[in-house]
Amino acid sequence: MGRDVPARVFTREDRREYRQKMHRCLDAFAQMLREERFETERPQVGLEIELNLVDDAAEPLMQGSEVLHAIADPAWSSELGRFNLEINIPPRQLTAGGPGAWEQEVRDALNHAEDRAATLGAHLIMVGILPTLQQNDVTEDALVDNPRYRLLNEQIFQARGEDLRIAIDGVDRLRTYADTITPEAACTSTQFHLQVSPDEFADYWNAAQAIAGVQVALSANSPFLFGKELWRETRIPLFEQATDTRAVELKAQGVRPRVWFGERWITSVFDLFEENVRYFPALLPLCEPGDPLESLKRGEIPELPELTLHNGTIYRWNRPVYAVVDGTPHLRIENRVLPAGPTMADTTANGALYYGLLRALVEQERPVWSRMSFAAAEDNLHAAALHGMDARLYWPGTGEVPASELVLRRLLPLAHKGLELSGIDAEWREPMLGIIEQRCVTQRNGALWQAETYHRIESTDHVGHHEALRRMTRQYIDYMHLNAPAHTWPVD
């Protein structure tokens, strides 16, 4: 969904033509896979971070377009809500630049953006859900003034036929309705990209699915929504509900949700795109000129615009991405399970764990996905989102164990091995994976710090719920700028 779309009304003919074009794209994609036309020589990694905007009091600030103009950097773009921005870091090889180079590059970009935003009285915060966000902050007025988001909002509600119900039971209980998709803007993420060859794509995607729960348990950073303490990573259930096109009856029939973990291990990247076309009606049936199969006959590489636009409206937690760069197509996995923040030190550590584990798991003689049910991987994700560091996760050979124990005993050594296989020596690995190790030893992450600090402020300062959240958020921003990992943040 990265490109702009025009505002318009869709006809029945539009939808029929779009379905036909998607099948033509799918046929062209299959032919490209058979003919091995994809970039495989220089695999790269990428990073996107979604951020919230707040004022000096740490309250949501609806000035995304103004701040974007002040930053004046093409790496930055608007997001769904007027209180969101996104930075897209240029892709690079994993080993480029030396220890800390990627982290420093992002910190420099964030610091520049913060300086520019501050001239407007705005500040950036990396957090899974902004703790001071209230329900009246996510009305239609907070939707960014962009035709693609307006059109997406209209189409989701047209497909659904009724208001969205948001129901989350955690420490507190949330029951509410929304008449726009703007609550989705509360979910701000870190997204790691990994380019892979078609032959290896299925193994890497399966491995990413297998470790999704582990990632969330260690990195949970979204315990509050609309003033209520819910799951440790409330972003997961909120995102699943905030873009749900299914009415209650369709859920009961087993219709698949558009925010989707999936339902099986795959054998080819083609499986994922084919499922998208087979299971999900188009939300934005916009056809581009040209025929992808005719383009292939002429020796050209098609952009597959209908297939990629449709793929962008199906929110898999590990999404396949097809793109053409400098005339050469490539495939990558977009890992979407992690919240933003708390710091770039934490983000870099999360990336090291993710990339290291994937490489090690795909190198194993007996893959983890051959010894673990797909349902167990999905259960791990939701257990991790609910309980965070306290989650018990299933892993083959160990059964159900605490997340920190699983990482310390089994997965951290694998991550070291995977990074070593990727060309990252101990001098690089130790600082990054050392943060993960200490997070497990101390049993502390961003979500726990937020919850404990909120309760400490509320009880000792004798203030109301929102004021306690506001003071906690201001402290969070201060520590975020220090870039000390969240497990070291004091609560007193």
Side-chain angles (χ1 to χ4, degrees), residues 84-375:
N84 301 140
L85 289 179
E86 178 181 273
I87 183 170
N88 194 328
I89 305 302
R92 61 191 292 137
Q93 291 186 302
L94 186 61
T95 56
W102 205 17
E103 179 181 332
Q104 190 59 52
E105 177 185 351
V106 183
R107 287 192 69 196
D108 289 345
L110 293 176
N111 288 336
H112 168 74
E114 170 67 21
D115 290 343
R116 301 304 303 149
T119 65
L120 301 176
H123 304 280
L124 299 168
I125 174 173
M126 294 191 301
V127 64
I129 295 175
L130 181 61
T132 54
L133 193 72
Q134 301 184 72
Q135 190 165 355
N136 59 14
D137 292 317
V138 291
T139 63
E140 188 171 1
D141 290 341
L143 197 64
V144 72
D145 188 18
N146 183 310
R148 67 171 164 149
Y149 292 128
R150 301 281 176 178
L151 190 56
L152 185 64
N153 179 69
E154 174 189 307
Q155 293 299 305
I156 284 177
F157 278 89
Q158 182 175 311
R160 183 177 175 82
E162 60 185 88
D163 287 351
L164 288 163
R165 184 170 187 260
I166 298 175
I168 305 173
D169 291 334
V171 178
D172 298 325
R173 186 172 184 262
L174 176 65
R175 294 289 185 276
T176 191
Y177 287 88
D179 58 4
T180 75
I181 62 170
T182 318
E184 180 197 332
C187 305
T188 38
S189 308
T190 297
Q191 296 161 18
F192 291 111
H193 290 249
L194 176 63
Q195 182 184 336
V196 294
S197 70
D199 289 344
E200 295 180 310
F201 190 97
D203 286 352
Y204 273 93
W205 187 85
N206 289 340
Q209 293 286 94
I211 66 170
V214 174
Q215 288 182 275
V216 170
L218 267 59
S219 308
N221 196 33
S222 313
F224 295 102
L225 174 64
F226 302 155
K228 294 182 180 292
E229 184 179 354
L230 299 168
W231 292 21
R232 285 296 185 243
E233 188 50 39
T234 306
R235 209 181 100 263
I236 299 294
L238 175 59
F239 194 48
E240 289 175 344
Q241 296 179 34
T243 52
D244 199 342
T245 57
R246 305 169 302 164
V248 173
E249 294 80 5
L250 293 180
K251 290 183 186 180
Q253 293 174 35
V255 172
R256 293 163 179 85
R258 295 190 89 96
V259 177
W260 199 30
F261 188 76
E263 59 191 16
R264 63 186 175 109
W265 306 118
I266 64 169
T267 58
S268 167
V269 62
F270 185 82
D271 296 347
L272 300 177
F273 286 101
E274 190 274 336
E275 284 180 347
N276 288 354
V277 173
R278 179 155 46 106
Y279 293 146
F280 299 99
L283 287 178
L284 301 172
L286 293 159
C287 288
E288 300 286 343
D291 184 300
L293 291 171
E294 292 299 322
S295 295
L296 283 176
K297 286 181 181 179
R298 294 192 297 267
E300 302 168 354
I301 299 298
E303 298 280 349
L304 308 182
E306 292 80 16
L307 190 67
T308 56
L309 178 61
H310 186 56
N311 184 58
T313 65
I314 298 156
Y315 306 96
R316 295 178 184 268
W317 292 113
N318 283 292
R319 176 190 275 167
V321 177
Y322 167 90
V324 181
V325 178
D326 297 328
T328 303
H330 73 257
L331 295 170
R332 63 182 188 268
I333 298 169
E334 181 185 39
N335 178 248
R336 303 165 52 83
V337 299
L338 290 177
T343 66
M344 273 312 302
D346 289 297
T347 301
T348 306
N350 294 340
L353 181 71
Y354 172 68
Y355 292 123
L357 273 180
L358 289 195
R359 179 63 185 270
L361 289 175
V362 300
E363 296 286 344
Q364 289 183 325
E365 287 189 19
R366 191 179 175 199
V368 64
W369 53 92
S370 71
R371 298 176 284 131
M372 178 182 187
S373 74
F374 195 85

Side-chain angles (χ1 to χ4, degrees), residues 52-63 83 121-125 130-134 136-137 465-471 473-474 477:
N52 288 277
L53 288 173
V54 296
D55 60 20
D56 291 333
E59 300 284 4
L61 187 64
M62 306 294 170
Q63 291 189 6
F83 55 93
H123 304 280
L124 299 168
I125 174 173
L130 181 61
T132 54
L133 193 72
Q134 301 184 72
N136 59 14
D137 292 317
H465 296 317
H466 187 78
E467 177 62 16
L469 288 169
R470 191 189 67 80
R471 294 186 187 186
T473 305
R474 292 188 67 178
I477 294 171

Side-chain angles (χ1 to χ4, degrees), residues 52-83:
N52 288 277
L53 288 173
V54 296
D55 60 20
D56 291 333
E59 300 284 4
L61 187 64
M62 306 294 170
Q63 291 189 6
S65 59
E66 295 88 343
V67 173
L68 192 62
H69 180 75
I71 295 172
D73 184 334
W76 290 83
S77 61
S78 61
E79 257 297 324
L80 178 64
R82 292 173 57 210
F83 55 93

